[in-house]
Amino acid sequence: MKSKSTTVLLTFFLGGLGIHRFYLGQNGMGILYLVFCWTFIPAFIALIDFFVFLFMSEYRFNNKYNLKTGF
């Protein structure tokens, strides 16, 4: 089961490298973040992701990322 708080922290500190996407099981997006990390575009996208995850409700987060685990 994935934790919303862990996702928020990974996005804030390592989001430019796409680590939060690997954590959420979105490996394709994570690889794109890694490939383009030298352009700093993924860092800006991760900043937006940070706020999206921060203000997302726990229920919506679980529905989107923990549905397969049977939360």
Side-chain angles (χ1 to χ4, degrees):
M1 190 158 157
K2 287 144 181 94
S3 166
K4 179 184 165 190
S5 58
T6 302
T7 304
V8 169
L9 289 173
L10 285 173
T11 305
F12 185 75
F13 290 110
L14 299 171
L17 298 174
I19 303 303
H20 64 293
R21 293 296 176 180
F22 288 112
Y23 177 72
L24 293 173
Q26 300 173 335
N27 295 334
M29 288 292 291
I31 291 171
L32 283 175
Y33 275 66
L34 275 175
V35 168
F36 291 105
C37 70
W38 62 274
T39 65
F40 294 107
I41 293 170
F44 292 120
I45 296 171
L47 183 65
I48 294 168
D49 284 344
F50 169 73
F51 287 111
V52 168
F53 290 133
L54 187 66
F55 294 115
M56 182 183 288
S57 71
E58 196 75 35
Y59 176 77
R60 185 164 178 231
F61 181 85
N62 285 331
N63 255 355
K64 191 167 186 176
Y65 299 108
N66 289 324
L67 196 58
K68 293 178 186 172
T69 61
F71 68 97

